[in-house]
Amino acid sequence: MVWQANILTMYPDIYPGPLGYSLIGKALENNIWKMNVYDIRKFGHGKHKIIDDKPFGGGAGMVMRADVLGDAIEKTLIQNHENEPLVYLSPKGKPLKHSKVKSYSKLSGVSIICGHFEGIDQRILDSYNIEEVSIGDFVVTGGEIASFVFLDAIIRLLPGVLGNYNSIDEESFIQNLLEYPQYTKPQEFKGLKVPDVLLSGNHEKINKWRIETAKELTKKIRPDLIKKKDKDK
């Protein structure tokens, strides 16, 4: 089964973009995953294919129309990809966690709705089974930018994408810990030396150092992860 990324966007030509490079790009070439991109503008109204309008009640910016977006969703994502969940990338969505990323990688794919302007008409979210997902507490200019981060995080977990799949187990957030520091040649750089334990050849001591260092970093930078780990226990 080939994992599918189905994308509804105003800017279809932006894809695959960064996803066409490095390990993710090679995986695309090797048909480990595929991308289906649909243009929202094709469903716009009138000569100029209008897809947005002023918000009721006033306010700054424009909102993507419910009728246009609904038509586009039904005739592309739902009609062609009924087995993939609908995802709307939004700052007001649930924060994306590694556990959720992993669950998406186990599915047949995902269908992404890329919003713009001040967002999309709420009735779209109320009418379809759409999951709102946030990649962080900040705002970007459009869903396309967020989709690159979202898809990269998922696709790298697919079997055959990473050269050393076991390395995933040691990455940040896997055990609610940030990853330990990494070092390579040269052994000294700007007066800073590689920790002696990493040169010892004693794998038991190295593993212990890595775990303890990961805990220290997490307590310093992301204490909320430590609290979550304690709560999970």
Side-chain angles (χ1 to χ4, degrees), residues 46-104:
K47 178 181 178 181
H48 300 291
K49 298 295 182 181
I50 296 173
I51 65 173
D52 61 323
D53 213 322
K54 297 178 181 179
F56 285 120
M62 307 287 275
V63 177
M64 297 181 76
R65 293 179 55 130
D67 50 357
V68 173
L69 195 51
D71 192 27
I73 290 172
E74 291 177 8
K75 293 180 179 178
T76 60
L77 302 181
I78 293 178
Q79 180 175 299
N80 300 323
H81 311 287
E82 62 178 359
N83 294 325
E84 280 80 66
L86 294 171
V87 175
Y88 173 55
L89 299 172
S90 163
K92 63 185 181 72
K94 293 182 179 179
L96 183 64
K97 303 293 184 181
H98 177 77
S99 58
K100 191 62 178 178
V101 169
K102 189 174 182 179
S103 69
Y104 283 131

Side-chain angles (χ1 to χ4, degrees), residues 143-162:
E144 292 79 11
I145 296 174
S147 74
F148 292 138
V149 175
F150 178 72
L151 288 173
D152 184 279
I154 298 171
I155 294 167
R156 65 191 302 276
L157 298 183
L158 301 179
V161 175
L162 296 183

Side-chain angles (χ1 to χ4, degrees), residues 88-95 115 117-119 132-143 146:
Y88 173 55
L89 299 172
S90 163
K92 63 185 181 72
K94 293 182 179 179
F117 315 120
E118 291 302 308
E132 287 189 84
V133 176
S134 170
I135 64 167
D137 295 339
F138 53 87
V139 178
V140 294
T141 55

Side-chain angles (χ1 to χ4, degrees), residues 6 51 53 104 121 130 142 165:
N6 315 307
I51 65 173
D53 213 322
Y104 283 131
D121 192 298
I130 298 174
Y165 189 77

Side-chain angles (χ1 to χ4, degrees):
M1 181 181 68
V2 178
W3 194 90
Q4 298 190 77
N6 315 307
I7 303 167
L8 186 59
T9 172
M10 287 174 55
Y11 303 104
D13 293 339
I14 202 173
Y15 293 98
L19 301 175
Y21 295 87
S22 189
L23 296 175
I24 307 298
K26 289 180 181 179
L28 181 60
E29 291 178 3
N30 294 332
N31 205 36
I32 293 177
W33 70 286
K34 66 179 294 186
M35 177 175 287
N36 304 298
V37 184
Y38 302 98
D39 187 355
I40 296 175
R41 290 258 180 221
K42 290 184 178 180
F43 300 89
H45 291 180
K47 178 181 178 181
H48 300 291
K49 298 295 182 181
I50 296 173
I51 65 173
D52 61 323
D53 213 322
K54 297 178 181 179
F56 285 120
M62 307 287 275
V63 177
M64 297 181 76
R65 293 179 55 130
D67 50 357
V68 173
L69 195 51
D71 192 27
I73 290 172
E74 291 177 8
K75 293 180 179 178
T76 60
L77 302 181
I78 293 178
Q79 180 175 299
N80 300 323
H81 311 287
E82 62 178 359
N83 294 325
E84 280 80 66
L86 294 171
V87 175
Y88 173 55
L89 299 172
S90 163
K92 63 185 181 72
K94 293 182 179 179
L96 183 64
K97 303 293 184 181
H98 177 77
S99 58
K100 191 62 178 178
V101 169
K102 189 174 182 179
S103 69
Y104 283 131
S105 73
K106 302 295 184 181
L107 303 177
S108 59
V110 294
S111 294
I112 302 173
I113 301 164
C114 295
H116 267 274
F117 315 120
E118 291 302 308
I120 65 177
D121 192 298
Q122 179 63 36
R123 290 169 293 182
I124 290 294
L125 300 172
D126 295 339
S127 299
Y128 302 94
N129 186 22
I130 298 174
E131 183 171 9
E132 287 189 84
V133 176
S134 170
I135 64 167
D137 295 339
F138 53 87
V139 178
V140 294
T141 55
E144 292 79 11
I145 296 174
S147 74
F148 292 138
V149 175
F150 178 72
L151 288 173
D152 184 279
I154 298 171
I155 294 167
R156 65 191 302 276
L157 298 183
L158 301 179
V161 175
L162 296 183
N164 181 8
Y165 189 77
N166 292 330
S167 65
I168 292 175
D169 295 333
E170 299 181 357
E171 294 178 333
S172 293
F173 309 114
I174 303 301
Q175 300 295 332
N176 286 330
L177 292 175
L178 300 182
E179 189 178 7
Y180 51 80
Q182 300 280 10
Y183 297 88
T184 186
K185 296 180 180 179
Q187 291 187 21
E188 184 173 342
F189 176 72
K190 293 184 179 296
L192 300 174
K193 297 181 179 181
V194 175
D196 291 337
V197 66
L198 299 180
L199 305 174
S200 68
N202 188 320
H203 295 293
E204 183 178 349
K205 288 184 177 180
I206 290 173
N207 288 335
K208 183 178 180 180
W209 177 88
R210 285 174 170 171
I211 293 171
E212 292 304 316
T213 305
K215 289 180 179 179
E216 290 174 6
L217 279 175
T218 307
K219 288 179 181 179
K220 180 180 179 181
I221 301 173
R222 290 291 304 275
D224 57 300
L225 293 177
I226 298 292
K227 293 178 181 178
K228 182 179 185 302
K229 188 173 185 178
D230 291 340
K231 182 179 180 181
D232 291 342
K233 286 182 180 180

